[in-house]
Amino acid sequence: MEYLTIDIMAGFQWTEVHTAAAEKLVNQYIIENREILIYYVTNEQLQTLPVVKMPKVSENIRIVEIEGIEYNPCGGTHLGRTGEIGLIKIFKAEKQKELTRLYFKCGFRALNDYSESLGILSVLSAKFNTGRTEILNRVEKLENDYKQLLSANENLKLENANFLADSLLAENGGGFISHIFEDSSMKELLYLAGTIVKKEKVTVLLASRKEQKVTLSHSGDSPFHCGQYFKAELDSYNGKGGGNERIAQAGFASQNDLMAFYQYSVEKLGQNPGA
């Protein structure tokens, strides 16, 4: 395992401040290279020691004493001095019922982790052409720029969808609109179909050659059930999909299957959109 954990009963709400304080204190003990003593005591002698936790045994009680820090009944393997640990780095704290679990690395694992993290920071520093302390500011700026681009892109998508919707409504009549796109994604088709049915009470069939998918929808004013139509017809064209009464979508194994289903649906629904 690359890390170790310890569960502690803090008795209060553990925060990052406590994590930093604990890490600083334990590393101070490591630097002081305190001696770790191991010896046995009787049950009577045990009563005089401020042990961390009382043992379950009453004989051959083994005590591990960290000089000036704690007395711990324990039968496991231990170091001779705290300095042998080398370094401890706590990298996460999380709530575990009534306890707080600390995740940490020590010794060369902690050093290796620091080296890897420093390497990542150095690469980011070079990419942003800035000092390590300024990387977070650059990332925040990138996030803000990205959000602005997303907002601008959504506005463009809305404008484009409105334009396409008006064009398709002008070109088609009879309560049924169909169109096949070469490169549009299903997400874009769903957005466009939604825009169209908000404008007019029509049934809309849109397909994408690129993704080999199709969507069928209407505004909800028709008794026609899109999902049931797909369920009844898709198997004949190697299609898989489904939906509800107002919208459905499906994918096909090949463009030939897609086109065959699309043409069939255009002919059938174009004659009677509410069929």
Side-chain angles (χ1 to χ4, degrees), residues 70-253:
E70 70 174 27
Y71 296 82
N72 192 7
C74 182
T77 302
H78 292 274
L79 305 174
R81 306 190 73 90
T82 58
E84 295 175 36
I85 298 172
L87 168 70
I88 282 183
K89 178 62 184 175
I90 303 173
F91 60 89
K92 185 170 71 171
E94 65 180 18
K95 189 72 174 175
Q96 291 285 334
K97 296 183 179 179
E98 300 301 319
L99 304 174
T100 297
R101 177 167 295 173
L102 300 181
Y103 293 77
F104 64 95
K105 294 184 179 183
C106 55
F108 279 109
R109 287 177 179 170
L111 179 61
N112 291 337
D113 185 79
Y114 174 79
S115 297
E116 291 175 5
S117 300
L118 181 60
I120 293 171
L121 282 175
S122 297
V123 171
L124 290 174
S125 180
K127 283 185 177 294
F128 288 123
N129 193 27
T130 187
R132 283 182 283 165
T133 58
E134 291 298 315
I135 290 177
L136 285 179
N137 291 334
R138 290 297 184 92
V139 171
E140 288 178 1
K141 184 178 184 305
L142 282 177
E143 287 180 338
N144 291 331
D145 291 346
Y146 179 66
K147 289 178 182 178
Q148 292 177 5
L149 286 173
L150 284 180
S151 178
N153 185 53
E154 286 299 315
N155 290 333
L156 288 174
K157 283 172 60 178
L158 179 60
E159 292 178 9
N160 185 54
N162 278 315
F163 174 77
L164 286 174
D166 291 339
S167 297
L168 291 172
L169 284 167
E171 294 173 2
N172 295 271
F176 178 70
I177 290 177
S178 62
H179 194 84
I180 187 161
F181 294 86
E182 294 295 327
D183 299 317
S184 297
S185 67
M186 176 53 70
K187 184 178 180 180
E188 291 170 331
L189 296 189
L190 291 171
Y191 192 89
L192 175 58
T195 302
I196 293 173
V197 298
K198 286 179 181 178
K199 290 176 175 287
E200 298 287 346
K201 295 179 180 180
V202 293
T203 299
V204 182
L205 177 69
L206 302 177
S208 168
R209 285 183 182 272
K210 176 184 178 181
E211 295 195 358
Q212 297 174 190
K213 293 181 179 179
V214 65
T215 180
L216 178 67
S217 61
H218 60 73
S219 59
D221 298 292
S222 171
F224 177 70
H225 196 294
C226 298
Q228 289 180 356
Y229 174 76
F230 272 26
K231 184 177 180 180
E233 305 291 352
L234 283 176
D235 284 346
S236 300
Y237 299 91
N238 299 314
K240 293 183 178 180
N244 55 37
E245 64 274 10
R246 297 181 60 176
I247 185 169
Q249 55 183 299
F252 297 85

